[in-house]
Amino acid sequence: MTRDEFESAIANGIPLMILDNLVLNIAEYINDHPGGRFLMRHNIGTDISKYFYGGYCLEGNQGPTPAFGHPHSTVARMIINDLIVANYEDDILPKTMVCK
């Protein structure tokens, strides 16, 4: 899925997210996420990799030290497999280059 296709789907109300280079359709899962519906809706159209792997937390970052997120379980990774609808092809990703 290209960036234009991704943005068009979002504009048409399809709740998509990106995890690494995978496009996830969360329509069937948005109400079941343990973190809540707000968390899922807030991140529609974004790359959620930093949240999924526990490197960042949406809340609690106002203090002197940043809060850290929750690294997801194997069960969460299995759920992700069911949500994948495409590979994301971003035109700003670095291209492979051969140096001599």
Side-chain angles (χ1 to χ4, degrees):
M1 180 178 282
T2 65
R3 182 192 307 212
D4 289 340
E5 291 169 334
F6 181 80
E7 290 175 358
S8 176
I10 296 294
N12 287 322
I14 301 172
L16 300 178
M17 294 178 176
I18 298 169
L19 177 62
D20 297 328
N21 68 330
L22 304 171
V23 178
L24 312 175
N25 184 334
I26 61 160
E28 298 295 322
Y29 186 67
I30 197 165
N31 294 319
D32 297 328
H33 187 267
R37 201 174 16 200
F38 168 80
L39 183 67
M40 298 297 278
R41 286 190 178 148
H42 181 75
N43 288 292
I44 288 173
T46 65
D47 184 338
I48 60 163
S49 300
K50 66 183 177 183
Y51 302 115
F52 189 80
Y53 296 116
Y56 188 80
C57 184
L58 186 63
E59 297 176 342
N61 285 307
Q62 302 299 321
T65 57
F68 290 98
H70 165 75
H72 286 76
S73 67
T74 301
V75 172
R77 295 169 202 275
M78 292 169 55
I79 292 169
I80 289 293
N81 288 337
D82 293 334
L83 304 178
I84 299 169
V85 293
N87 283 320
Y88 185 66
E89 298 178 6
D90 192 349
D91 58 357
I92 62 170
L93 290 176
K95 305 296 182 213
T96 303
M97 172 174 31
V98 177
C99 298
K100 294 184 178 183

